[in-house]
Amino acid sequence: MGRRIVGRLLQTVPMLFFVSVVCFAMIKLGPGDPVLSFVTPNMHAEDIERIRHNLGLDQPAYIQYFNWLKEVVQGNFGYSLVNHQPVLDQILDRLPATAGLMGSAIGIGVLLALPFGLLAGANRGRWLDRAVNAVAYVGISIPVFWLAILMIYLFAIHLHWLPSMGMRTIGVSSAADVLKHGLLPCLTLAFGFFAVYVRYIRSSTIGQLREDYVQLQYAFGSARRIVLFRHVLKHVMLPIITLLGMSMGDLVAGAIVTETVFSWPGIGSLGMTAVKGMDYPLIMGITLLSSLLLILGNLAADILYTIVDPRIKGSR
């Protein structure tokens, strides 16, 4: 296992290099010029070119990339072209807000999807299964921004139960206020995660109920509830582990649309600001860190596979 982990970690380097090359090329091929954010109506052409030279944007694209890569290898992700603040500091400042929001949404989605998915698969074709499927189809089909707007209209504007935006109320620094502000974006994201997870769990449950070990448990007189939540649940967790590993990238990239709609000060809203301002170093930093967490999440999923299912460990 240790050798496998070391091998996967070594594979991270070329993968991150490839991601950085593709991301940098897409940025350069895209429209827009970050220098335009510094231009004023009365500015001369010489002044504009001086700004471009100071930012290093007058050099060929491959030289700009290798200059950026040289700094990243030394642990320096550069400075924002818009606010001139260190890129890494900005990402780390926004990371707790996104991690808390995404972690809570994923946790709520999984905790709700497990029992409903198991019961829907065990009652295939009945009213409970049809109801769960209907909710899952709605959650998968509805756009996130539209659901967020509906949540704001219902709970913030119409009922006045919850705040519509931001992370804190001005002048209030309590944890309860943060939870109150985070409830709407968290439920919006959790509904989407629930819709995806419950479909996987239902499908896996239907397949597991046909296995011989389930019939053997029934033959020994085990109750249906015991079979579902003690034996079938262990095998149903395998696809969920994969999905959780793939969701690690969201902890950095965040729910960009959701954070933007609710004005949540996380990585997602920071990324949107960087894209609007053509802030190349900040875009590269967010993309690189998201890719790193996604790779590490897949590695963690492989390790959890061997813990949950001993058969995988034996085959390896």
Side-chain angles (χ1 to χ4, degrees):
M1 175 60 70
R3 182 180 299 177
R4 179 178 177 83
I5 294 175
V6 173
R8 289 289 297 274
L9 291 176
L10 292 177
Q11 293 176 4
T12 302
V13 177
M15 294 175 66
L16 291 178
F17 174 75
F18 176 76
V19 169
S20 65
V21 171
V22 173
C23 180
F24 195 86
M26 293 179 65
I27 290 175
K28 289 301 180 181
L29 292 175
D33 188 357
V35 178
L36 297 179
S37 60
F38 300 94
V39 175
T40 60
N42 298 325
M43 187 173 291
H44 297 286
E46 294 81 4
D47 298 327
I48 297 176
E49 291 303 320
R50 189 179 301 111
I51 294 175
R52 190 182 304 276
H53 175 73
N54 292 334
L55 295 176
L57 299 177
D58 59 338
Q59 299 176 342
Y62 69 92
I63 295 180
Q64 296 182 38
Y65 172 77
F66 282 111
N67 288 336
W68 173 85
L69 184 62
K70 182 176 64 176
E71 296 295 329
V72 169
V73 171
Q74 298 175 1
N76 179 19
F77 282 79
Y79 292 83
S80 168
L81 299 180
V82 177
N83 55 28
H84 308 292
Q85 298 296 319
V87 169
L88 188 58
D89 290 347
Q90 294 186 68
I91 294 176
L92 294 180
D93 288 341
R94 299 291 190 99
L95 183 58
T98 297
L101 178 63
M102 297 299 299
S104 301
I106 292 174
I108 293 174
V110 172
L111 291 178
L112 292 177
L114 280 173
F116 280 103
L118 286 170
L119 294 175
N123 296 274
R124 183 181 183 185
R126 299 180 182 178
W127 68 269
L128 178 61
D129 183 33
R130 291 195 292 268
V132 171
N133 277 329
V135 173
Y137 287 140
V138 170
I140 295 173
S141 303
I142 188 171
V144 177
F145 76 91
W146 181 246
L147 178 61
I149 293 174
L150 291 179
M151 298 283 279
I152 291 175
Y153 175 78
L154 178 61
F155 294 103
I157 298 177
H158 184 68
L159 298 176
H160 303 285
W161 287 357
L162 297 170
S164 61
M165 61 180 59
M167 187 177 176
R168 297 180 185 273
T169 302
I170 299 177
V172 181
S173 59
S174 63
D177 183 66
V178 177
L179 293 175
K180 188 176 181 180
H181 280 79
L183 194 57
L184 280 182
C186 181
L187 292 179
T188 302
L189 290 171
F191 185 65
F193 285 120
F194 168 80
V196 174
Y197 291 152
V198 77
R199 291 290 299 166
Y200 278 93
I201 295 173
R202 174 189 176 274
S203 177
S204 182
T205 300
I206 293 174
Q208 291 298 320
L209 290 176
R210 299 175 182 150
E211 297 293 333
D212 294 336
Y213 75 90
V214 174
Q215 305 302 323
L216 184 62
Q217 291 296 326
Y218 282 137
F220 278 113
S222 298
R224 187 184 185 188
R225 176 176 57 84
I226 299 298
V227 173
L228 278 178
F229 290 94
R230 179 176 296 180
H231 301 284
V232 175
L233 179 60
K234 295 179 181 179
H235 298 83
V236 167
M237 288 298 296
L238 293 179
I240 298 302
I241 291 174
T242 303
L243 292 177
L244 289 177
M246 296 178 63
S247 300
M248 286 297 295
D250 294 335
L251 294 179
V252 174
I256 295 179
V257 176
T258 305
E259 289 187 359
T260 303
V261 172
F262 288 101
S263 299
W264 188 261
I267 301 295
S269 57
L270 180 65
M272 286 295 296
T273 304
V275 171
K276 292 177 182 178
M278 296 296 171
D279 198 342
Y280 299 157
L282 191 54
I283 297 174
M284 291 294 295
I286 294 175
T287 303
L288 203 63
L289 197 53
S290 302
S291 303
L292 177 61
L293 279 187
L294 181 59
I295 295 171
L296 295 179
N298 288 331
L299 176 60
D302 286 346
I303 297 174
L304 290 176
Y305 257 104
T306 62
I307 296 175
V308 175
D309 193 348
R311 297 174 299 178
I312 299 176
K313 183 177 181 180
S315 63
R316 289 177 178 173

